[in-house]
Amino acid sequence: MSFFSKIFGDQNEKALKKMQPIVEKINNLESKIQRLSDEKLKEKTVDFKDRIKKGEVLDDILPEVFAVVREAAKRTLGQRHFDVQLMGGIAMHQGKITEMKTGEGKTLTATLPLYLNALEEKGCHLVTVNDYLARRDTVWMGQIYHFLGLSVGCLNHEQSFVYDPEYKKSAEEKDKIRDELGSFQVVEDFLRPVSRKEAYLADITYGTNNEFGFDYLRDNMVYNMDQLVQSRNNENDEDIYHFAIIDEVDSILIDEARTPLIISAPDTESSKWYQEFARIIPKLNSEIDFKVDEKRKAVTLTEEGINKIEKLLGKENIYEERGIKYLHHLEQALRAEALFKRDRDYIVKNNQVIIVDEFTGRLMPGRRWSGGLHQAIEAKEGVPVQAESLTLASITFQNFFRMYKKIAGMTGTAVTSAEEFQKVYGLDTVMIPTHKPMIRKDLPDKIFKTQKGKYQAVVEEVKNRHSQGQPILIGTTSIDKNEHLSRLLKAEGISHEVLNAKNNEKEAAIIAQAGKRGQVTVATNMAGRGVDIILGGNPPDQKEAEEIKKVGGLCVIGTERHEARRIDNQLRGRAGRQGDPGVSQFFISLEDDIVRVFGGDTIKRVFERFDFPENMPIENKMISRAIESAQARIEGYNFDIRKHLLEFDDVLNKQRIKIYKKRREILKESEKSSFATAKRDVKEGEQTSFCSSNLKSQILEMAKTPEEKKALEAKEKELGENFFKVAKFIMLNTLDTLWMQHLEDMETLRDSVQLRAYGQIDPLVAYRTEGHKMFQSLLEDFEEKVLDTILKAKIKPNIKMTSNKITQPVSSATKNAYKKVGRNDPCPCGSGKKYKKCCYPKFG
């Protein structure tokens, strides 16, 4: 046992022991709560809320609350929370990460802390990884909440809902939803369509990390308070970010931590270099003209490469004639050629390059690599190259979820990332015991000399187990390897199903049958997380399930180790659910990426010492340990990268918080005051003011000379009651325009400061110092531009005053982004909604 495991194990035992007395209190209340009628049980919610208002804290009422939720679950779902689920609920209420194995009932466990924290009547969110799970869990767990008198909302990409047991969809509605979501999707009754704001106003809201994050960004781009969706109390905006439970927390807070959410608009001045790159790159020699660092996933031009490019272009010095920006994009094109592979990192579908998520194996339509990389890949693949984008707003998941007063998480694989959860988010990790003993057999890795030998051995293993009727799940790391193994199985006459991002519409049907007798499923990482494979199929055939248990349960075969041990453990976790038998084993070769790039000399020396045939396996603990050591090093390396990125992003995040706070203050002015009710700041001999005193004081502070004060009063007289609306709009628009330019400038600064390290200057210190100066300059520019624009503003005659009729235009980038967009076209802001349902009122 490692030192970390020993220390963590001791801490974990202490945490579980502290929970035991609380669990006993909950159990002691069970008989008392059972005697309550349905009506009396429902009244408990009102009683709990009253007690909280009178000063009781959540920890005081937790045992009784959990006992009530457990009883409600028994009466609605016929399911009773196990003691280990009570422990998981306690840990999440305490703001901890809980590791609960597959099939242990995380979804039901989450109802305990969600209901408890919702009693405070502030934002209470369950964050999950896809729209289907958000809808499924809203309907499934919504029965408990509704029984107890709480409302439940659900955010989906196209539509938002609330749980309503009286609501049933018509056949036409179901057909329409299937057209939008895909024919394989289950369309649930009891989800009544509502506005997005209504979904947030519910006591508990389910939704994906993307939907919560993008709504935050879009809320900080609106021009009227009534356009806000993430709002419960306009006087206290923090109430919406009160408590969040993040499902598959390691996927969202670690795997996706380096991918920011970005709302962008097309850049009309985008460079037209990509076709030129596609012509130049194939003429470069990978041995001479550029160097590839697979560990860092970087490509660097050599002097020979630069000279060759200058000859190809007929230029003497591309640094002077084309500039650093050109070199940056050229290196991105080199990365596209050398490091990004079709059917591994992306697929080409409908003449578009679509990213494949490296952790989940799922397609990510709408997501694009930044910095010109996506355009370079489009040029490489010969599909239309889309314009580059200007960033209008962005945030990382790390910084979005750190806004919440309290967050908790649940996953099947958290322990190997416990250090990162603690250092980055301040979250402790608790490993919850299984309800029944885990009896899955995790066999030692089988290691082969070549990939060819490895795949031959996998096919033989499948043939042997398949002949006994054992269901088999084979995990692959990419689509091309997934399809290659499928061809080998087909050649041997082994019937099987293939699951990858190309045929994800069959996912539900394939997974439902993956646990049946003799079933063979070849899947990418799509089947490695959040997938519950039930012995005997779903719904299960109990007789068949017993027969499968006799032959060993589900067999999971991994065909390659992943960079993170968590991903391997997720795949193993498909077998052995809820005390079922199962077996898992990984087949590895020296040619696998992780062994080849990170394995070191230890593994190679063992194989060089003996002349092994390529299809002969070796089970060697030293080699397995070396591979796990390589994985630990990669995890540490990636952790350092994420930590480093977070340190840089924290600089921008502090600025973002200040800008959004200032923006919200300006936005509120239009709601809190009106011309009919505004207090008029009138003194003898002074002109009547139509502007609220707060906003007026802000504008007057911008005036640096007596002449400008007088000019403002003249403008107020000229515009009359419209002065307030004009001023508010100009202030918001100017702030948005400057912030958008600042984001681009900060990105350029971030790239440039990396070179300071060669001069013994810490790039982070330089980024902080110069970023601060740039931000102060933004604030100064804001005041100057607002004052200048207000004094020049005109209202078109005979036109009713609205925000988009002011002669001061929105920024050119924003204007171009929304120009010539049809009302039913997708909104350019990236929300996925139709233009008429998103930004049309603002820019139409």
Side-chain angles (χ1 to χ4, degrees):
M1 180 182 285
S2 70
F3 177 75
F4 169 78
S5 299
K6 189 175 188 304
I7 294 297
F8 180 83
D10 291 344
Q11 291 178 340
N12 202 68
E13 284 301 315
K14 285 179 183 176
L16 295 177
K17 281 181 181 177
K18 284 184 180 179
M19 293 179 195
Q20 198 57 50
I22 305 174
V23 172
E24 288 172 6
K25 285 183 182 178
I26 298 166
N27 289 336
N28 291 338
L29 287 166
E30 187 166 20
S31 59
K32 175 186 172 184
I33 299 298
Q34 277 178 338
R35 292 194 293 269
L36 295 177
S37 66
D38 285 358
E39 205 57 44
K40 290 292 183 184
L41 196 61
K42 291 176 184 178
E43 289 174 4
K44 279 291 180 182
T45 299
V46 178
D47 176 52
F48 291 142
K49 288 182 178 180
D50 287 342
R51 287 162 64 182
I52 290 169
K53 288 171 184 173
K54 289 175 182 175
E56 284 195 65
V57 296
L58 296 186
D59 287 348
D60 293 339
I61 63 172
L62 184 149
E64 190 175 355
V65 167
F66 277 27
V68 164
V69 176
R70 176 193 260 179
E71 184 61 28
K74 282 159 58 179
R75 297 187 192 186
T76 55
L77 305 180
Q79 296 179 330
R80 177 184 176 276
H81 294 82
F82 303 133
D83 284 3
V84 289
Q85 289 173 312
L86 298 179
M87 287 181 173
I90 294 165
M92 283 190 274
H93 164 65
Q94 293 171 345
K96 294 178 180 176
I97 305 290
T98 60
E99 176 172 298
M100 297 179 71
K101 300 300 181 186
T102 305
E104 290 297 302
K106 294 192 293 290
T107 305
L108 184 63
T109 300
T111 59
L112 298 162
L114 281 173
Y115 173 82
L116 174 62
N117 284 268
L119 294 171
E120 291 188 310
E121 300 183 274
K122 297 177 181 178
C124 198
H125 302 156
L126 190 289
V127 185
T128 188
V129 291
N130 62 53
D131 280 350
Y132 165 67
L133 289 177
R135 295 197 312 277
R136 184 201 72 178
D137 294 352
T138 300
V139 171
W140 188 11
M141 299 299 117
Q143 298 172 68
I144 299 173
Y145 306 125
H146 184 268
F147 180 85
L148 291 173
L150 295 187
S151 57
V152 192
C154 174
L155 305 172
N156 264 199
H157 191 53
E158 287 290 334
Q159 177 66 64
S160 300
F161 309 93
V162 291
Y163 174 74
D164 182 350
E166 304 298 318
Y167 185 82
K168 291 196 176 182
K169 294 181 176 68
S170 65
E172 292 78 11
E173 281 181 292
K174 290 185 178 181
D175 287 342
K176 183 183 177 185
I177 292 170
R178 286 195 184 96
D179 286 342
E180 292 175 348
L181 301 177
S183 58
F184 76 97
Q185 290 279 15
V186 177
V187 179
E188 300 85 353
D189 283 320
F190 317 131
L191 289 180
R192 176 164 53 82
V194 295
S195 70
R196 215 160 180 79
K197 184 162 188 171
E198 286 178 88
Y200 277 108
L201 286 172
D203 295 301
I204 296 165
T205 305
Y206 283 74
T208 66
N209 50 329
N210 286 336
E211 296 305 312
F212 284 111
F214 276 125
D215 281 342
Y216 167 72
L217 293 178
R218 285 192 288 265
D219 268 5
N220 284 286
M221 296 173 69
V222 303
Y223 276 62
N224 291 298
M225 287 292 286
D226 57 9
Q227 293 175 322
L228 294 173
V229 295
Q230 280 190 345
S231 179
R232 294 180 68 86
N233 178 349
N234 290 341
E235 295 301 315
N236 187 4
D237 300 316
E238 291 76 23
D239 277 0
I240 195 73
Y241 310 112
H242 181 63
F243 178 56
I245 293 178
I246 305 173
D247 192 11
E248 305 296 355
V249 64
D250 52 329
S251 174
I252 292 172
L253 292 189
I254 294 180
D255 296 341
E256 293 197 53
R258 286 159 63 180
T259 306
L261 294 171
I262 298 174
I263 292 179
S264 60
D267 181 358
T268 53
E269 297 179 359
S270 173
S271 62
K272 298 184 173 68
W273 295 328
Y274 301 109
Q275 301 302 335
E276 190 171 65
F277 296 152
R279 177 178 65 84
I280 293 173
I281 297 300
K283 297 179 182 179
L284 300 181
N285 186 309
S286 61
E287 301 293 325
I288 300 170
D289 300 323
F290 58 89
K291 293 181 180 178
V292 179
D293 186 334
E294 291 187 82
K295 289 185 180 181
R296 292 175 52 243
K297 296 183 180 176
V299 183
T300 310
L301 278 168
T302 62
E303 283 294 326
E304 293 86 351
I306 292 169
N307 292 335
K308 184 179 284 189
I309 289 169
E310 288 172 341
K311 285 180 182 177
L312 289 169
L313 294 173
K315 305 291 181 183
E316 289 188 12
N317 188 331
I318 55 173
Y319 282 93
E320 289 183 1
E321 296 183 48
R322 292 292 181 91
I324 293 293
K325 188 175 181 181
Y326 183 87
L327 266 295
H328 164 75
H329 284 289
L330 182 61
E331 288 189 354
Q332 290 287 58
L334 281 168
R335 289 183 71 216
E337 180 68 31
L339 293 171
F340 288 79
K341 305 300 181 188
R342 185 169 178 165
D343 288 342
R344 184 189 72 185
D345 304 296
Y346 62 90
I347 67 167
V348 177
K349 185 177 181 181
N350 299 329
N351 233 14
Q352 290 184 320
V353 171
I354 302 175
I355 298 173
V356 176
D357 188 294
E358 63 177 308
F359 301 104
T360 66
R362 298 179 186 277
L363 293 182
M364 303 172 74
R367 286 277 188 100
R368 291 177 65 81
W369 286 296
S370 59
L373 177 60
H374 210 99
Q375 287 84 352
I377 293 174
E378 287 169 334
K380 165 188 167 184
E381 295 293 344
V383 303
V385 177
Q386 297 183 28
E388 280 191 80
S389 298
L390 286 173
T391 299
L392 304 180
S394 72
I395 193 169
T396 60
F397 286 123
Q398 288 172 317
N399 277 317
F400 174 70
F401 285 111
R402 291 200 300 179
M403 292 194 309
Y404 280 82
K405 182 181 177 183
K406 180 170 69 176
I407 59 173
M410 51 188 186
T411 178
T413 47
V415 172
T416 55
S417 300
E419 182 186 4
E420 184 163 354
F421 283 130
Q422 174 52 239
K423 287 187 175 178
V424 176
Y425 301 99
L427 297 172
D428 292 330
T429 300
V430 178
M431 187 164 59
I432 304 297
T434 55
H435 177 57
K436 294 180 180 178
M438 170 72 74
I439 60 172
R440 183 187 69 227
K441 295 177 181 177
D442 295 329
L443 301 178
D445 298 344
K446 284 188 175 181
I447 304 158
F448 299 83
K449 198 169 187 178
T450 66
Q451 285 197 358
K452 181 182 177 183
K454 174 183 73 174
Y455 285 124
Q456 287 175 352
V458 168
V459 172
E460 285 302 311
E461 183 78 10
V462 171
K463 281 171 70 175
N464 292 337
R465 292 185 179 276
H466 178 63
S467 65
Q468 300 170 35
Q470 190 171 13
I472 304 164
L473 173 66
I474 308 170
T476 60
T477 57
S478 66
I479 297 170
D480 58 339
K481 291 175 181 176
N482 176 270
E483 293 174 340
H484 172 67
L485 187 54
S486 174
R487 288 191 292 270
L488 295 178
L489 291 172
K490 195 177 290 182
E492 292 292 326
I494 300 172
S495 176
H496 62 281
E497 291 286 348
V498 175
L499 177 60
N500 60 44
K502 287 184 176 179
N503 70 337
N504 62 351
E505 71 279 355
K506 297 180 181 177
E507 178 181 4
I510 291 173
I511 293 302
Q513 301 303 311
K516 291 190 73 66
R517 182 177 174 81
Q519 189 75 25
V520 178
T521 308
V522 184
T524 57
N525 295 351
M526 285 177 67
R529 182 182 287 279
V531 171
D532 204 2
I533 297 176
I534 299 171
L535 298 186
N538 190 12
D541 180 323
Q542 295 299 340
K543 184 178 178 182
E544 185 175 311
E546 289 305 314
E547 292 174 357
I548 293 169
K549 289 177 183 179
K550 290 175 183 175
V551 295
L554 178 68
C555 172
V556 171
I557 295 175
T559 58
E560 199 166 332
R561 286 282 195 168
H562 294 78
E563 287 191 1
R565 288 168 292 175
R566 290 181 294 103
I567 312 296
D568 293 340
N569 292 338
Q570 285 283 356
L571 181 62
R572 287 192 196 276
R574 300 315 100 197
R577 63 184 294 280
Q578 293 187 358
D580 287 342
V583 62
S584 74
Q585 188 166 36
F586 278 83
F587 287 60
I588 299 167
S589 86
L590 290 188
E591 295 176 343
D592 293 348
D593 289 344
I594 192 168
V595 180
R596 182 176 54 81
V597 178
F598 299 97
D601 297 327
T602 306
I603 300 171
K604 292 174 185 174
R605 281 200 299 268
V606 172
F607 273 84
E608 285 169 358
R609 196 177 302 164
F610 306 100
D611 186 22
F612 291 104
E614 64 179 7
N615 63 343
M616 179 180 172
I618 177 173
E619 292 182 9
N620 185 298
K621 288 184 178 179
M622 183 178 71
I623 295 178
S624 294
R625 280 197 298 268
I627 292 171
E628 287 198 6
S629 174
Q631 287 178 302
R633 288 200 308 275
I634 299 167
E635 288 168 7
Y637 173 72
N638 287 332
F639 174 26
D640 289 341
I641 290 176
R642 286 190 292 269
K643 191 168 177 288
H644 183 67
L645 288 173
L646 184 62
E647 288 172 339
F648 273 82
D649 194 53
D650 276 345
V651 176
L652 190 60
N653 192 54
K654 289 173 184 174
Q655 298 173 355
R656 180 191 299 110
I657 290 169
K658 289 178 182 177
I659 289 292
Y660 284 177
K661 183 180 180 182
K662 188 175 187 70
R663 196 183 192 283
R664 188 60 61 91
E665 287 171 355
I666 297 168
L667 195 66
K668 282 181 177 179
E669 284 297 318
S670 63
E671 300 299 317
K672 292 194 294 184
S673 306
S674 69
F675 295 109
T677 60
K679 292 180 180 177
R680 300 194 174 190
D681 184 16
V682 186
K683 290 181 182 177
E684 190 174 346
E686 284 193 356
Q687 182 186 323
T688 300
S689 169
F690 289 99
C691 186
S692 75
S693 58
N694 188 14
L695 189 59
K696 181 181 180 182
S697 64
Q698 288 186 50
I699 297 170
L700 286 177
E701 283 175 9
M702 298 176 189
K704 301 295 187 290
T705 66
E707 288 75 19
E708 288 175 337
K709 199 171 277 191
K710 287 179 182 178
L712 279 171
E713 289 172 353
K715 180 59 65 174
E716 185 178 4
K717 184 176 181 181
E718 175 192 334
L719 298 182
E721 293 191 358
N722 283 324
F723 183 80
F724 183 81
K725 292 181 181 178
V726 171
K728 188 246 342 182
F729 177 83
I730 287 172
M731 291 176 80
L732 290 173
N733 182 249
T734 303
L735 197 63
D736 290 348
T737 304
L738 291 172
W739 178 243
M740 182 179 67
Q741 184 60 52
H742 184 71
L743 289 175
E744 189 174 350
D745 293 343
M746 289 293 284
E747 184 65 31
T748 303
L749 175 65
R750 190 167 178 164
D751 290 338
S752 67
V753 295
Q754 302 304 327
L755 299 173
R756 309 287 177 89
Y758 294 110
Q760 306 301 309
I761 297 173
D762 186 336
L764 179 60
V765 172
Y767 183 71
R768 282 177 180 154
T769 304
E770 296 183 32
H772 176 72
K773 290 177 183 176
M774 288 164 59
F775 187 66
Q776 293 305 310
S777 177
L778 179 157
L779 297 178
E780 291 168 11
D781 287 350
F782 170 71
E783 293 195 353
E784 290 177 12
K785 289 181 184 296
V786 165
L787 189 63
D788 183 60
T789 307
I790 287 175
L791 294 176
K792 292 177 180 175
K794 302 283 184 184
I795 302 295
K796 291 183 179 179
N798 303 320
I799 294 179
K800 186 180 178 183
M801 173 63 202
T802 59
S803 63
N804 58 329
K805 300 303 181 184
I806 302 171
T807 54
Q808 167 66 12
V810 292
S811 69
S812 59
T814 308
K815 185 177 178 183
N816 287 323
Y818 292 83
K819 190 167 65 176
K820 296 181 181 177
V821 179
R823 293 176 76 251
N824 291 308
D825 292 342
C827 188
C829 80
S831 67
K833 297 180 181 178
K834 289 181 179 179
Y835 181 38
K836 67 182 181 183
K837 290 186 176 180
C838 190
C839 293
Y840 180 76
K842 183 170 68 176
F843 296 104

